[in-house]
Amino acid sequence: MHSSDALKAGVPVAKLMLVSAWRETEELFTEKERAALCWTEAVTRIDRTRAPDSDYRAAALQFDQQELADLTLAIGLIGVYNRIAISFRRSPDNAAP
């Protein structure tokens, strides 16, 4: 669903394919995108990362307070939606078109 939406919005296929390797593809992602991806990893894995100050500072340099709050809320909501989908055995294969 998200990939399809991103493609419709004009995100290049190569960029979507390399999101999981964003740390190794410096030229492909902007500083703001890199900060968002780093913050996303830190918040998603908060039980292990404890959201390091360095990751927060990097994100705070790229986003104002409202944007960072919105990004953090979106990260959390996606995590909740994923947990609900997994709990109810919902997969992309049986999602509504």
Side-chain angles (χ1 to χ4, degrees), residues 10-90:
V11 176
V13 173
K15 196 170 196 173
L16 286 177
M17 298 296 290
L18 292 171
V19 167
S20 63
W22 69 269
R23 290 183 190 274
E24 290 81 35
T25 55
E26 290 185 31
E27 290 82 33
L28 194 57
F29 297 94
T30 66
E31 284 301 311
K32 191 168 192 169
E33 290 169 334
R34 295 174 67 73
L37 290 164
C38 185
W39 187 240
T40 299
E41 287 181 356
V43 173
T44 300
R45 299 179 177 136
I46 202 156
D47 62 317
R48 288 175 262 159
T49 69
R50 302 289 187 244
D53 290 340
S54 59
D55 293 348
Y56 174 80
R57 282 192 300 273
L61 285 173
Q62 297 295 324
F63 298 94
D64 65 32
Q65 282 188 324
Q66 185 62 55
E67 291 172 323
L68 189 53
D70 290 345
L71 175 60
T72 306
L73 182 59
I75 294 164
L77 283 173
I78 290 168
V80 168
Y81 294 150
N82 286 339
R83 282 166 174 74
I84 292 169
I86 291 165
S87 298
F88 287 98
R89 309 309 190 253
R90 190 89 173 148

